[in-house]
Amino acid sequence: ESAATLGVAIVQNLVRLVEAGIVAIPFAFVYQHRLFDFAATSAPAMLGLFLGNEFFYYWQHRASHRIRWMWATHRVHHSPTRFNLTAAVRLGWTGNISGNFLFFLPLIWIGFHPFAVVAMLGVNLMYQFFIHTELAPRLGPLEYVLNTPAHHRVHHASNEPCLDKNYGGILIVFDR
């Protein structure tokens, strides 16, 4: 299963290069028509970008489970039978082509640079790599705010009470 995941990840990264060229067009167009201009170096702007990215990631992830067109890509991530770190890199090949990038256009439209939005999404995905494990301890009160391996195990479960739960990236607050 890990070898299959490695193959999926390699092809996904190759496809991502093509997708980047496709996504760059609407990102550049929307950024040219932005409402404001936020400096990515200021702390309030970074906090706003982080929270905005988390909010739109939540809705993109939720849509990826609810809209069949998007689920066709996202289900690849839910296909491993073992919940481990390799599951984190098993991503579908057509995520942006299926419309994932559309959810982040509002951040660019209000004035965040496309590279800043993509970088913050990268931070989100790096964090998620570490929540794909059964080895992490419980985090106590932090579990009310942060997405944790315990929350994410529920998200990946296939039994009925667990379906459609815990769509957050780093934060779990939008699920609450």
Side-chain angles (χ1 to χ4, degrees):
E1 190 168 87
S2 294
T5 295
L6 180 61
V8 168
I10 289 169
V11 174
Q12 194 269 342
N13 281 306
L14 295 173
V15 170
R16 187 176 279 178
L17 293 172
V18 174
E19 286 182 328
I22 294 168
V23 169
I25 296 166
F27 274 24
F29 177 80
V30 169
Y31 189 66
Q32 286 179 342
H33 297 88
R34 65 192 177 274
L35 299 175
F36 306 102
D37 202 4
F38 293 115
T41 55
S42 77
M46 290 300 289
L47 179 61
L49 178 58
F50 172 76
L51 292 174
N53 190 285
E54 285 293 311
F55 177 75
F56 290 116
Y57 178 82
Y58 168 84
W59 286 106
Q60 176 271 318
H61 192 187
R62 187 178 178 119
S64 292
H65 281 257
R66 304 275 176 106
I67 299 170
R68 286 177 171 243
W69 170 259
M70 297 176 77
W71 176 246
T73 294
H74 187 63
R75 71 182 292 197
V76 172
H77 177 67
H78 285 267
S79 65
T81 59
R82 297 178 152 293
F83 187 73
N84 58 32
L85 295 176
T86 63
V89 297
R90 185 183 277 217
L91 301 172
W93 295 348
T94 56
N96 282 317
I97 294 169
S98 67
N100 289 344
F101 76 94
L102 296 171
F103 288 84
F104 301 95
L105 286 175
L107 289 171
I108 296 167
W109 182 59
I110 64 170
F112 292 105
H113 194 279
F115 289 143
V117 172
V118 170
M120 189 61 74
L121 187 56
V123 169
N124 181 312
L125 295 175
M126 288 297 291
Y127 178 84
Q128 288 185 52
F129 177 76
F130 294 105
I131 63 173
H132 285 84
T133 182
E134 296 178 343
L135 303 176
R138 301 291 296 208
L139 299 178
L142 288 176
E143 295 200 9
Y144 289 104
V145 178
L146 296 177
N147 193 1
T148 64
H151 292 310
H152 210 64
R153 279 192 299 276
V154 169
H155 175 74
H156 275 265
S158 59
N159 49 329
E160 191 66 34
C162 295
L163 294 178
D164 300 325
K165 304 268 191 280
N166 302 340
Y167 297 114
I170 296 173
L171 301 176
I172 203 72
V173 296
F174 299 114
D175 290 288
R176 296 194 181 281

